[in-house]
């Protein structure tokens, strides 16, 4: 996908996006509501034509082809199953439209039914299936013609939590078994992080960062990504020196830390550093990277959050896994230190 | 429950409503009852008999007019439904475009113009055309019936289309269906109940028409309603009641089917 | 590299709109040719001179329109207002208004009754209202005719009960026309009224009672204003066809009690003054248009106020 843009009237829904989606990968578009994920997906499927730019598939320009001319299939958010057809007829629809012989279609449909665990339900009307089953029919229907790319627009959002978890695993399995490229849209960051090979984080029509779940989580490129994904502490500081991919940063809150440099951007003198709450630990006052006063302590079951009031007025959250022994926690109001592990801090681009 | 009912109750309303229903059906019931009268009066009951149904059945004029009515209504309803279906496809499920409101208004215009005026206009127009072409067959009646049936057929078809999920056709296109195939295999089967409902509505409306037919018909082209209108000027025997009863039954059957057809979309969604 | 996607998109959009015109062409053409197009000819005819045996002479004449409003005495050529036409127009309007009022009086309680039934019963009651609507209008008129004729059932029953000593002449009177038109058009009033009553929030009525409103006050100050859009729609749906009735006055008015529709027909029959008939038709259309305009205005207002 190259320099693609889409505007509705004067509104720019997708702004100059260039993405390279690799064969056989599970690629996720992640972003808040209204950021243009669906629009981007619809341009790949062909329901929407880009105002500018091109959609390339295996180096072939498909940007102006009709949806039925693209070897790309979609799993719709509302499933869009044909209510007047049976499960089997739904799954076989694509192949029938391609003019495949009846016997071949029947064979593929049988294989698909097995793949999505709906053996024996082929003759049921789709209207009599549960939400999860309909979801799987929609998947099978889109997979049956063996598309090059499968597009999934928030396919799990209509399912309840438990079903969603099991479908996540199912989807992952299907992708591995079929070897088809999945482009998956979600605004659920956890879903994105657990399922994807790579994630593109979008905001206001632009792609903010592309990378594996680890890269995005541990080394967010900018404030938006850091903020959108997981909980983050932002620390202001100034550049004190750099070597290779690491730099030393003098924090406003006191202390000097080593932090990762962002890709391809020499940081300005005034910069922001992010630290995930679970990458920091409490220490005795004076023995950590910087000190603060302990504020609220919030118990979450699996872990506990410690809110540390910094001397520059900010708040830093430390997350500690709860263990059986339950190490003694300092009292609210006590002076504490915060120690950052090696590689815990990352400098933002802006 | 009881409390909310007393809040909704307005004194006398239920009485008037029941009276309205009674008055609505009394004339029809009487009409049907006297179709079975063995006497010649439409007011004095003299015993049960089917003689008037027999009389109507043996009346060539009645049978001819009925057949003509059915012919005209069939052709007009099919023609109107085809036109209405295409027009409904052209005027729904898209961003408003130039001329769409115009089309919508124009299609519904026949509902707005007083029937007597349309009838007069068609009389004038077709009397010219008849002279030019020399053709004076049933075509004029079929055409004019089709024209005023279009808005009636359009109504349920449009309603059905608008309640149909656009993503189904997208899904079809996504699954390699050409626009024509998507229409053939997805849109049409789903639209079918709406089309049938439109067809029936158009059929009933055409079957019932008196005014336009009265003005457009050439000599010897009486339909059942215009034949009846002509007969009403004379002394009426229960034969008219018998004809009316059969006519009512046919309309009732069609309307009942229509009623159930136009309920299906709710069931689909629910 | 043939077309850019943007160009392809534009071309596709153009084609879509062209297809949409092609698709609607048959319907538009049919209605133009065999529906409303010939109305233009009527307008044209109203400005032509009458032919000797019906039809028209192809020369401009304002006689048609002149005759709508004025009558020329055949003996002394004096011009006077066309009283006959005015009285028929006035009668028609009076009868149509009367029909509308009667339909509202009977239709409102009926619609209210249906709207307050339990939801699953409503469609049955609605069906009962719509059945007569879809059955032949002529037959329903005929049914009324049988009921009220001099030797008809109503007279027989009243005579037997001793309420009257001689049959009452009901058929071929304005009363008969009024009765017939109310009977035939009632569903057209009930349906839109029901549509707005169904949406009525009965908590409002509860609130009104809570504020010590009497039943009458609740009806007039709360319910009626809330269903005003439905009432206006129903009134228009009844008034327009009632005003242009042709069959009902012909069957129940017996050829003596004319309405506009019959007056128009006369000009194309015995009177054979086609331009006058055409001018009368145009006049009827204009009255209907004004009624519509009034409706659109008020419906707009009512809609606006219900939002506020
Ligand atoms: N057909 C359209 N016309 C005008 N604006 C549109 C159209 N489709 C989408 N938009 C706008 O484009 C923006 C992006 O929409 P899009 O549906 O791609 O968002 P999304 O990321 O999928 O959001 P969500 O998570 O809510 O599905 C939105 O602000 C939307 O209002
Ligand atoms: Mg979306």
């Amino acid at each position: 996908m190259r320099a693609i843009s889409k505007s509705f009237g004067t509104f720019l829904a997708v702004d100059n996006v260039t993405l390279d989606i690799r064969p056989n990968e599970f690629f996720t578009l992640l972003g808040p509501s209204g950021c243009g994920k669906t629009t981007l997906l619809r341009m790949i499927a062909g329901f929407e034509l880009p105002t500018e730019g091109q959609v390339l598939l295996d180096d072939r320009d498909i940007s102006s082809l009709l949806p039925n001319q693209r070897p790309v299939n979609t799993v719709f958010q509302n499933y869009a199953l044909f209510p007047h057809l049976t499960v089997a007829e739904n799954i076989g629809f694509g192949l029938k439209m391609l003019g495949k012989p009846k016997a071949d279609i029947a064979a593929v449909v049988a294989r698909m039914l097995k793949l999505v665990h709906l053996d024996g339900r082929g003759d049921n009307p789709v209207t009599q299936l549960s939400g999860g089953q309909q979801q799987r029919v929609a998947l099978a229907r889109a997979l049956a013609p063996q598309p090059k790319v499968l597009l999934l627009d928030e396919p799990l959002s209509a399912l309840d939590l438990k079903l969603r978890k099991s479908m996540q695993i199912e989807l992952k399995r299907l992708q591995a078994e079929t070897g088809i490229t999945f482009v998956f849209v979600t605004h659920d960051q956890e879903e994105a992080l657990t399922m994807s090979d790579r994630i593109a984080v979008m905001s206001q029509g632009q792609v903010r960062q592309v990378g594996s779940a680890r890269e995005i989580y541990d080394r967010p490129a900018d404030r938006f990504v850091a903020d959108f994904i997981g909980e983050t502490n932002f620390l202001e500081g100034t550049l004190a020196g750099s070597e290779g991919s690491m730099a030393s940063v003098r924090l406003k809150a006191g202390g000097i830390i080593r932090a990762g440099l962002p890709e391809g951007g020499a940081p300005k003198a005034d910069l922001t550093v992010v630290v995930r709450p679970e990458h920091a630990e409490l220490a005795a006052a004076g023995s950590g990277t910087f000190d603060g006063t302990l504020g609220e302590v919030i118990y979450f079951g699996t872990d506990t959050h410690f809110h540390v009031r910094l001397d520059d007025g900010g708040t830093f959250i430390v997350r500690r896994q709860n263990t059986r022994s339950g190490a003694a926690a300092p009292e609210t109001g006590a002076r504490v230190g915060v120690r950052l592990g090696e590689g815990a801090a990352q400098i933002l681009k802006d | 429950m009881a409390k909310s009912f007393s809040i909704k109750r307005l004194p006398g309303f239920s009485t008037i409503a029941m009276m309205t229903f009674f008055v609505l059906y009394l004339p029809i019931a009487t009409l049907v009852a006297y179709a079975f009268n063995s006497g010649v009066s439409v007011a004095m009951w003299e015993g049960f008999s089917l003689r008037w149904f027999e009389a109507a059945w043996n009346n060539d004029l009645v049978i001819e007019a009925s057949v003509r009515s059915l012919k005209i209504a069939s052709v007009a309803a099919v023609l109107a439904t085809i036109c209405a279906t295409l027009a409904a496809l052209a005027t729904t499920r898209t961003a408003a475009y130039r001329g769409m409101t115009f089309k919508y208004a124009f299609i519904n215009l026949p509902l707005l113009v007083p029937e007597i005026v349309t009838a007069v206009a068609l009389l004038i127009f077709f009397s010219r055309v008849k002279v030019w072409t020399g053709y004076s067959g049933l075509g004029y009646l079929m055409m004019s019936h089709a024209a005023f049936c279009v808005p009636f057929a359009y109504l349920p078809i449009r309603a059905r289309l608008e309640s149909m999920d656009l993503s189904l056709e997208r899904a079809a296109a996504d699954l390699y269906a050409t626009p024509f195939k998507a229409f053939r295999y997805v849109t049409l089967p789903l639209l079918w109940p709406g089309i049938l409902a439109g067809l029936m509505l158009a059929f009933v409306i055409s079957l019932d028409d008196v005014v336009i037919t009265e003005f457009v018909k050439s000599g010897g082209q009486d339909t059942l309603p215009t034949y009846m209108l002509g007969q009403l000027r004379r002394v009426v025997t229960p034969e008219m009641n018998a004809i009316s009863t059969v006519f009512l039954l046919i309309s009732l059957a069609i309307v009942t089917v229509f009623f159930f057809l136009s309920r299906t979309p709710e069931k689909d969604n629910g | 590299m043939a077309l850019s996607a943007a160009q392809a998109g534009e071309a596709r959009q153009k084609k879509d709109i062209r297809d949409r015109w092609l698709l609607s062409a048959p319907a538009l053409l049919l209605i133009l040719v065999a529906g409303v197009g010939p109305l233009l000819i009527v307008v044209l005819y109203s400005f032509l001179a009458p032919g000797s045996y019906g039809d028209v002479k192809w020369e401009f004449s304002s006689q048609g329109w002149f005759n709508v409003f004025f009558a020329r005495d055949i003996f002394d050529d004096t011009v006077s207002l066309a009283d006959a036409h005015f009285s028929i127009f006035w009668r028609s309007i009076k009868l149509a208004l009367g029909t509308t009022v009667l339909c509202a009086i009977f239709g409102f309680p009926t619609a209210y009754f249906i709207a307050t039934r339990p939801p699953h019963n409503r469609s049955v009651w609605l069906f009962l209202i719509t059945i007569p609507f879809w059955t032949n209008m002529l037959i329903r008129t005929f049914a009324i005719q049988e009921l009220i004729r001099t030797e008809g059932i109503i007279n027989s029953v009243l005579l037997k009960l001793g309420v009257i000593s001689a049959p009452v002449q009901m058929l071929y009177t304005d009363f008969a026309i009024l009765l017939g038109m109310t009977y035939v058009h009632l569903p057209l009033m009930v349906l839109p009224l029901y549509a707005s009553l169904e949406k009525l929030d009965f908590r409002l009525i509860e609130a009104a009672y809570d504020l010590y409103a009497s039943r009458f006050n609740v009806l007039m100050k709360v319910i009626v204003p809330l269903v005003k859009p439905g009432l206006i729609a129903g009134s228009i749906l009844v008034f327009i066809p009632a005003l242009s009735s042709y069959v009902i006055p012909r069957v129940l008015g017996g050829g003596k009690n004319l309405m506009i529709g019959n007056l128009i027909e006369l000009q194309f029959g015995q009177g054979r003054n086609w331009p006058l008939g055409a001018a009368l038709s145009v006049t009827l259309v204009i009255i209907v248009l004004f009624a519509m305009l009034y409706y659109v205005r008020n419906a707009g207002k009512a809609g606006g106020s219900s939002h506020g």
Side-chain angles (χ1 to χ4, degrees):
Chain A
M1 204 173 315
R2 195 183 287 158
I4 210 167
S5 296
K6 174 74 193 180
S7 41
F8 297 109
T10 56
F11 178 76
L12 201 57
V14 172
D15 183 5
N16 196 15
V17 166
T18 299
L19 279 177
D20 181 21
I21 299 168
R22 297 170 195 152
N24 309 337
E25 79 173 333
F26 197 117
F27 191 88
T28 297
L29 295 171
L30 174 66
S33 192
C35 69
K37 307 177 298 283
T38 299
T39 308
L40 194 56
L41 210 64
R42 288 163 56 82
M43 285 192 285
I44 305 177
F47 302 131
E48 213 82 70
L49 294 178
T51 328
E52 263 164 60
Q54 293 172 312
V55 182
L56 302 176
L57 185 68
D58 294 341
D59 295 327
R60 191 161 71 98
D61 183 4
I62 60 165
S63 7
S64 54
L65 293 185
L66 287 170
N68 55 305
Q69 296 163 330
R70 303 183 186 207
V72 171
N73 289 347
T74 308
V75 177
F76 291 83
Q77 188 167 359
N78 63 352
Y79 314 146
L81 297 179
F82 305 125
H84 58 299
L85 301 180
T86 63
V87 170
E89 285 167 336
N90 263 281
I91 297 176
F93 190 87
L95 294 168
K96 185 175 164 191
M97 291 301 115
L98 288 171
K100 291 275 156 29
K102 276 212 172 69
D104 294 6
I105 298 180
V108 175
V109 168
R111 196 151 45 78
M112 284 297 146
L113 282 172
K114 195 165 284 166
L115 193 67
V116 297
H117 304 309
L118 282 172
D119 324 46
R121 305 303 288 270
D123 294 329
N124 289 28
V126 284
T127 42
Q128 288 175 9
L129 299 180
S130 72
Q133 289 169 330
Q134 292 190 356
Q135 165 72 73
R136 280 179 279 156
V137 175
L139 255 172
R141 182 179 73 176
L143 284 170
Q146 292 273 322
K148 290 244 166 61
V149 181
L150 186 72
L151 307 175
L152 305 101
D153 191 357
E154 308 200 23
L156 308 181
S157 61
L159 305 180
D160 60 51
L161 187 66
K162 208 161 161 211
L163 203 52
R164 192 152 73 217
K165 293 278 183 223
S166 75
M167 277 311 290
Q168 285 176 5
I169 298 167
E170 192 86 336
L171 271 180
K172 204 54 197 154
R173 175 182 69 85
L174 282 172
Q175 197 263 333
E177 271 177 39
T178 56
I180 291 172
T181 309
F182 277 34
V183 179
F184 183 86
V185 162
T186 182
H187 58 242
D188 180 339
Q189 42 150 316
E190 189 188 315
E191 205 166 275
L193 292 175
T194 50
M195 298 172 73
S196 323
D197 294 324
R198 286 193 310 147
I199 300 170
V201 183
M202 290 185 67
S203 155
Q204 293 176 356
Q206 292 175 328
V207 169
R208 293 307 180 94
Q209 187 176 5
V210 183
S212 69
R214 257 227 114 73
E215 282 165 358
I216 295 219
Y217 188 79
D218 287 348
R219 293 156 40 79
D222 60 20
R223 186 176 277 270
F224 174 82
V225 176
D227 209 16
F228 185 68
I229 297 183
E231 266 182 289
T232 311
N233 294 303
F234 293 99
L235 296 169
E236 307 295 324
T238 49
L239 193 65
S242 64
E243 57 196 81
S245 67
M246 300 298 277
S248 318
V249 177
R250 185 184 309 280
L251 295 177
K252 283 224 184 81
I256 293 181
I257 55 165
R258 282 166 55 72
L261 278 169
E263 258 174 62
K268 292 172 294 192
D270 287 317
L271 46 75
T272 308
V273 167
V274 288
V275 182
R276 297 289 178 190
E278 65 274 22
H279 292 164
E281 43 187 40
L282 290 183
S287 73
T289 315
F290 48 84
D291 290 350
T293 312
L294 189 59
E296 299 87 0
V297 176
I298 302 166
Y299 179 74
F300 275 97
T302 52
D303 44 35
T304 306
H305 288 194
F306 299 92
H307 289 238
V308 180
R309 306 257 173 273
L310 301 184
D311 297 339
D312 67 346
T315 300
F316 190 97
I317 299 173
V318 175
R319 179 147 81 206
R320 188 163 82 189
Q321 195 87 31
N322 292 327
T323 56
R324 189 85 68 84
S325 54
E331 295 285 315
T332 295
R335 282 301 280 181
V336 290
V338 174
R339 188 185 306 133
L340 303 181
E342 182 65 26
Q346 170 70 22
I347 300 172
L348 293 181
K349 228 185 268 182
D350 49 16
Chain B
M1 202 64 211
K3 188 184 164 221
S4 74
F5 248 71
S6 72
I7 278 172
K8 288 179 179 181
R9 222 181 74 83
L10 286 166
F13 270 35
S14 299
T15 320
I16 300 180
M18 290 333 282
M19 218 175 76
T20 304
F21 280 108
F22 178 70
V23 170
L24 216 48
Y25 283 91
L26 174 71
I28 299 180
T30 321
L31 178 109
V32 171
Y34 278 92
F36 297 95
N37 194 5
S38 63
V40 288
S41 161
V42 289
M44 295 272 289
W45 183 256
E46 289 170 38
F48 179 87
S49 121
L50 291 175
R51 66 180 271 213
W52 297 112
F53 287 93
E54 216 179 299
W57 180 253
N58 291 323
N59 186 338
D60 286 345
L61 286 176
V62 171
I63 298 299
E64 264 173 43
S66 307
V67 170
R68 201 173 291 120
S69 271
L70 291 176
K71 253 193 222 166
I72 295 171
S74 312
V75 174
V78 169
L79 195 60
T81 308
I82 293 174
C83 289
T85 306
L86 298 180
L89 286 169
T91 50
T92 48
R93 308 193 297 167
T94 178
Y97 57 92
R98 252 177 76 112
M100 191 163 89
T101 320
F102 162 78
K103 285 182 197 174
Y104 183 70
F106 196 79
I107 286 167
N108 286 300
L109 209 49
L111 297 178
L112 200 69
V113 181
E115 219 187 342
I116 180 75
V117 176
T118 309
V120 163
L122 291 173
L123 169 75
I124 295 177
F125 178 54
F126 286 149
S127 66
R128 292 260 155 209
V129 178
K130 279 175 196 172
V131 173
W132 287 336
T133 59
Y135 170 75
S136 61
L138 287 180
Y140 300 105
L141 281 174
M142 290 167 172
M143 284 260 289
S144 32
H145 277 222
F148 67 73
C149 285
V150 167
F152 288 96
Y154 178 76
L155 216 67
I157 299 174
R158 180 191 156 94
R160 176 95 194 175
L161 263 175
E162 298 219 305
S163 74
M164 259 166 61
D165 193 350
L166 205 59
S167 68
L168 292 177
E169 278 128 302
R170 280 211 200 98
D174 188 59
L175 292 161
Y176 314 108
T178 58
F180 175 76
K181 277 185 174 171
F183 177 75
R184 162 80 183 72
Y185 290 106
V186 177
T187 318
L188 195 58
L190 291 171
L191 188 56
W192 200 236
I195 295 178
L196 273 185
L199 187 74
M200 286 183 189
L201 213 51
F203 190 79
V204 171
I205 295 289
S206 164
L207 214 52
D208 284 357
D209 181 72
V210 194
V211 182
I212 288 178
T213 316
E214 179 77 4
F215 281 75
V216 171
K217 73 179 165 84
S218 309
Q221 289 188 341
D222 262 322
T223 60
L224 196 52
T226 61
Y227 169 80
M228 289 170 72
L229 184 66
Q231 292 299 305
L232 287 183
R233 290 190 169 156
R234 310 179 185 185
V235 176
V236 181
T237 64
E239 186 184 336
M240 285 291 287
N241 298 47
I243 301 170
S244 302
T245 302
V246 175
F247 205 136
L248 282 178
L249 276 179
I250 295 174
S251 304
L252 189 65
I254 298 176
V255 171
T256 311
V257 174
F258 166 80
F259 186 70
F260 282 106
L261 274 179
S262 40
R263 275 161 61 108
T264 39
E266 290 166 37
K267 271 188 195 155
D268 284 359
N269 296 342
Chain C
M1 189 72 267
L3 285 175
S4 82
Q7 283 169 314
E10 220 166 87
R12 221 176 273 175
Q13 209 167 7
K14 268 202 192 124
K15 183 173 176 302
D16 180 63
I17 289 182
R18 205 194 57 212
D19 286 353
R20 282 173 183 277
W21 276 103
L22 280 178
L23 281 175
S24 37
L28 298 181
L29 211 64
L30 182 61
I31 291 173
L32 182 71
V33 171
V36 298
L39 289 184
L40 295 176
I41 307 181
V42 175
V43 176
L44 175 70
Y45 267 41
S46 72
F47 290 106
L48 296 178
S52 327
Y53 302 100
D55 216 327
V56 288
K57 283 208 280 280
W58 286 94
E59 54 194 51
F60 174 81
S61 160
S62 56
Q63 277 303 308
W65 281 101
F66 180 84
N67 285 335
V68 172
F69 302 104
F70 302 104
R72 197 185 293 273
D73 195 294
I74 28 172
F75 296 114
D76 56 12
D77 249 15
T78 51
V79 171
S80 57
L81 282 176
D83 289 333
H85 294 174
F86 285 121
S87 75
I88 290 176
F89 269 93
W90 182 226
R91 269 257 314 290
S92 305
I93 291 176
K94 267 195 301 193
L95 284 172
L97 281 176
T99 304
T100 311
V101 171
L102 282 177
C103 282
I105 288 174
F106 290 100
F108 182 73
T110 309
Y112 190 88
F113 172 82
I114 300 176
T116 49
R117 290 312 92 191
H120 55 277
N121 285 345
R122 283 182 208 162
S123 64
V124 175
W125 288 107
L126 269 184
F127 189 47
L128 283 179
I129 282 286
T130 30
I131 289 177
F133 180 59
W134 291 122
T135 55
N136 195 317
M137 190 260 272
L138 179 66
I139 293 180
R140 280 183 292 155
T141 313
F142 169 51
I144 292 279
Q145 189 197 35
E146 285 201 352
L147 220 52
I148 63 172
R149 61 172 67 236
T150 314
E151 62 281 11
I153 298 214
I154 292 187
N155 269 320
S156 314
V157 170
L158 291 181
L159 276 174
K160 221 167 244 167
L161 292 176
V163 180
I164 50 174
S165 54
V168 182
Q169 173 70 37
M170 286 181 283
L171 195 56
Y172 308 141
T173 62
D174 279 356
F175 165 77
I177 299 180
L178 202 56
L179 177 68
M181 294 208 300
T182 306
Y183 178 64
V184 164
H185 296 123
L186 188 64
L188 291 172
M189 178 65 87
V190 175
L191 294 179
L193 272 178
Y194 167 76
S196 31
L197 275 169
E198 194 202 13
K199 284 179 278 179
L200 191 94
D201 185 353
F202 281 95
R203 278 172 308 183
L204 288 177
I205 299 178
E206 218 165 310
Y209 280 126
D210 198 41
L211 296 166
Y212 313 110
S214 69
R215 278 197 199 276
F216 182 75
N217 271 334
V218 166
L219 179 63
M220 295 316 283
K221 300 254 166 68
V222 183
I223 301 179
V224 170
L226 284 173
V227 298
K228 201 174 152 204
L231 192 63
I232 294 176
S235 300
I236 280 297
L237 283 179
V238 171
F239 180 77
I240 289 180
L243 182 69
S244 23
S245 281
Y246 164 78
V247 172
I248 297 171
R250 177 167 159 180
V251 174
L252 299 177
K256 286 179 298 183
N257 300 287
L258 300 184
M259 286 181 67
I260 305 175
N262 313 90
L263 180 64
I264 292 175
E265 190 218 359
L266 274 182
Q267 310 313 319
F268 293 91
Q270 305 142 333
R272 300 193 167 212
N273 190 343
W274 286 31
L276 172 59
L280 287 170
S281 304
V282 176
T283 312
L284 177 58
V285 172
I286 290 173
I287 297 177
V288 166
L289 280 183
F290 269 107
M292 274 308 294
L293 219 63
Y294 172 82
Y295 164 64
V296 171
R297 276 248 187 108
N298 280 274
K301 259 189 233 157
S305 67
S306 76
H307 282 293

